Amino acid sequence: MANETQIGECRVFTAHDALFQYSPGLATPDESGPYFLGGYFLILLCNFTTTYTHPILPYIRLLAAIPAAKLLWDYGFSSSFDVLHRNRQTDLAMALLSLYGLLKVTEVCVVGFWNRPEDWPKWLSRGDVKENGEGEGKDAKGINGKLKIIPFTPTILGRMLYAFDLLSVRGSSYLPNRIWDYAPKSMVEWKPPSRPRFLAFLIWESTTLYLLIDIFESLAATRTWDTSIARPLTSTLPLHLQFFYAFLVCGMTALSIATPYYVNALLTMPLGVPPSAWPPMFDQPFRAKSLQDFWSYRWHTIFRRTSDEISRGILFLLPSSYFTFHPRFIKLLRALIIFGISMVLHFFLVWALPIDDETYPYAAGLINPQIAKFFLSQPLGIFIELVLVQPMTAHLPDGWRKTIRRAFAWGWLLWSGRYWSDVWISRGLWGAKERYVLFSPVRRIVYGRWTPC
């Protein structure tokens, strides 16, 4: 059955069904709205209080974390909401918003409990960024230390703007000519184009991403995947096909992150949001020189701020003797903590997906072995890269050195990506009920119909 296509198994979708399946946000249950709004309203209030310095405020934020966390948890993981029109993409979207809110609560209310007034994020002026950037800093604070701080206006409105903008996921600002001091270096150096050019770019990018999703999903749909087993990819296919479908899954993962991002950017342009609020989601990942380069700078930075803050809190609890080791040990320890945080987040993301009669029973549990293999293999790959690959290639000619290091990085990503592919497929994300495109040009050309199976 593995090589059978789904051509003869197509459902008939009405325009209403197709729209709800293609746009997961439209399928969010109405009764979940108060949980989402209540949780994020409490985060906004806590952000607002960070603009004051009264000593009682950290305790108030710590108490506010309890109802905020409960509301956000129920929003993302409650099974009592109406499931009409919902698909797995809707469940993933709700779980992602829930987890981001929970991480923000942890960052502001728990880890932030020990913050001094000067520790809270600050706006920096984008006008001070050099043409090509300077310095080796990993974030805005490290760019020569020359980016001018923009203080918030100490009025109610000014504090509200600060609180709302602090919801920024990656460090960009919805206000013009500024950026947050925790933004990565690549974002700081990015030069936003004019509004007309950015609008043209968004239209082109959204169209290109849509077509790529259609191609990837059409290739994946040429097989009927057996989701009743734990490892539908790695236990059923030869290695070369495992690599092929792992590439498709990893591509679909990136495309499913980037596409709604650029569509949202396109929708906010008429509202006056500046182009600087929407820097590229990825920083040319195919140009990554190493695993460390890929994960630190090229991949998306959605959870970077909260992961950094939580890892900082964990490292703060370690005995000072740990920090007498070699800097590479500290770097690997921090990488292990951050990948561990990401692993746990993805445990919950996948756990939020619905279980049906065709799903392998282990999927109902929170701990997914294939997710653990994928995320824990990344710091292992970085360790091998640091202690073996880089020293062994250090004296090679530049071209050979770059080629070997890139080959190792992408070979490792494809090899470990097979584990994530098992998760993606076994949880039904390539199932016949999932729709990634509203109309399919690929299927129109190949099969003479516009709708996917």
Side-chain angles (χ1 to χ4, degrees):
M1 293 295 291
N3 57 1
E4 292 182 6
T5 67
Q6 299 175 345
I7 300 174
E9 303 174 7
C10 293
R11 291 178 54 192
V12 177
F13 284 91
T14 66
H16 181 269
D17 289 336
L19 186 61
F20 269 80
Q21 289 289 326
Y22 173 67
S23 305
L26 296 177
T28 302
D30 293 339
E31 61 269 31
S32 69
Y35 295 85
F36 174 82
L37 294 174
Y40 273 89
F41 178 73
L42 287 174
I43 294 175
L44 280 171
L45 283 181
C46 291
N47 285 350
F48 184 82
T49 65
T50 64
T51 64
Y52 295 92
T53 59
H54 196 284
I56 195 63
L57 291 175
Y59 297 93
I60 293 176
R61 287 193 291 268
L62 198 59
L63 289 174
I66 299 172
K70 180 65 169 64
L71 288 167
L72 291 165
W73 175 266
D74 288 345
Y75 170 75
F77 301 97
S78 174
S79 59
S80 62
F81 296 140
D82 179 21
V83 296
L84 184 65
H85 301 304
R86 275 170 66 179
N87 57 18
R88 284 170 171 80
Q89 296 172 71
T90 300
D91 290 282
L92 276 180
M94 293 175 66
L96 182 63
L97 288 170
S98 170
L99 286 175
Y100 178 71
L102 289 168
L103 285 174
K104 205 67 177 176
V105 168
T106 304
E107 173 196 334
V108 176
C109 303
V110 182
V111 178
F113 182 82
W114 288 274
N115 276 6
R116 298 164 300 177
E118 61 269 24
D119 292 333
W120 293 107
K122 299 173 183 64
W123 281 316
L124 301 176
S125 171
R126 288 193 64 92
D128 298 323
V129 182
K130 305 297 183 185
E131 180 63 30
N132 295 314
E134 297 181 21
E136 296 297 327
K138 295 181 180 179
D139 52 30
K141 294 176 183 176
I143 310 291
N144 270 352
K146 292 184 178 180
L147 299 186
K148 190 179 299 181
I149 294 176
I150 302 177
F152 61 83
T153 306
T155 62
I156 296 296
L157 179 59
R159 296 173 193 273
M160 289 175 62
L161 285 174
Y162 176 91
F164 177 79
D165 208 37
L166 192 53
L167 291 176
S168 172
V169 175
R170 301 190 299 146
S172 57
S173 173
Y174 294 109
L175 301 175
N177 302 319
R178 64 188 69 192
I179 197 167
W180 286 103
D181 62 0
Y182 56 86
K185 184 172 181 280
S186 60
M187 191 183 299
V188 179
E189 295 175 353
W190 178 63
K191 295 294 182 181
S194 64
R195 186 175 291 272
R197 289 186 62 185
F198 189 60
L199 186 60
F201 164 79
L202 289 176
I203 294 172
W204 169 259
E205 194 75 0
S206 300
T207 303
T208 303
L209 293 176
Y210 183 94
L211 292 175
L212 284 173
I213 289 177
D214 188 26
I215 293 170
F216 280 37
E217 200 272 334
S218 297
L219 288 170
T222 58
R223 287 182 175 270
T224 300
W225 297 96
D226 185 1
T227 58
S228 65
I229 58 177
R231 296 180 289 114
L233 180 76
T234 57
S235 66
T236 62
L237 297 181
L239 190 59
H240 69 284
L241 288 180
Q242 290 182 34
F243 284 143
F244 174 71
Y245 286 106
F247 175 77
L248 293 185
V249 169
C250 294
M252 286 289 290
T253 302
L255 291 170
S256 64
I257 294 170
T259 302
Y261 177 78
Y262 286 117
V263 170
N264 287 333
L266 190 60
L267 293 176
T268 60
M269 283 298 100
L271 302 178
V273 176
S276 60
W278 299 100
M281 177 57 74
F282 299 95
D283 185 18
Q284 300 176 305
F286 286 104
R287 297 186 65 181
K289 298 176 291 186
S290 63
L291 270 178
Q292 187 179 355
D293 182 41
F294 179 86
W295 289 116
S296 298
Y297 306 109
R298 306 291 184 173
W299 194 241
H300 73 76
T301 53
I302 291 177
F303 292 120
R304 173 170 173 159
R305 164 68 179 171
T306 46
S307 295
D308 281 349
E309 288 297 289
I310 293 173
S311 64
R312 181 170 66 90
I314 294 174
L315 289 172
F316 177 78
L317 298 175
L318 294 177
S320 58
S321 58
Y322 276 79
F323 299 95
T324 61
F325 290 100
H326 194 280
R328 283 189 174 181
F329 172 80
I330 303 301
K331 182 182 293 186
L332 287 170
L333 179 61
R334 187 169 177 275
L336 185 61
I337 293 172
I338 290 175
F339 278 110
I341 293 170
S342 190
M343 177 185 70
V344 172
L345 293 177
H346 284 79
F347 280 160
F348 282 103
L349 277 176
V350 172
W351 184 59
L353 294 174
I355 303 296
D356 53 38
D357 295 336
E358 298 179 355
T359 303
Y360 185 66
Y362 92 93
L366 176 63
I367 307 300
N368 189 307
Q370 298 304 90
I371 294 177
K373 288 179 184 178
F374 174 73
F375 283 98
L376 295 181
S377 67
Q378 303 313 311
L380 174 61
I382 293 173
F383 174 76
I384 294 173
E385 189 174 70
L386 287 174
V387 301
L388 290 178
V389 178
Q390 291 184 3
M392 292 172 64
T393 59
H395 301 293
L396 293 177
D398 187 61
W400 280 104
R401 182 173 65 252
K402 289 180 178 178
T403 299
I404 293 174
R405 290 180 179 183
R406 283 176 174 162
F408 172 80
W410 287 103
W412 190 273
L413 286 169
L414 272 180
W415 179 269
S416 58
R418 300 174 308 131
Y419 306 134
W420 175 249
S421 302
D422 276 331
V423 178
W424 185 283
I425 297 168
S426 68
R427 295 310 305 266
L429 287 164
W430 271 351
K433 296 179 181 180
E434 300 300 307
R435 292 177 68 93
Y436 291 92
V437 293
L438 192 57
F439 298 106
S440 173
V442 172
R443 286 171 173 82
R444 177 62 181 174
I445 294 171
V446 177
Y447 305 128
R449 52 180 168 77
W450 285 103
T451 55
C453 283

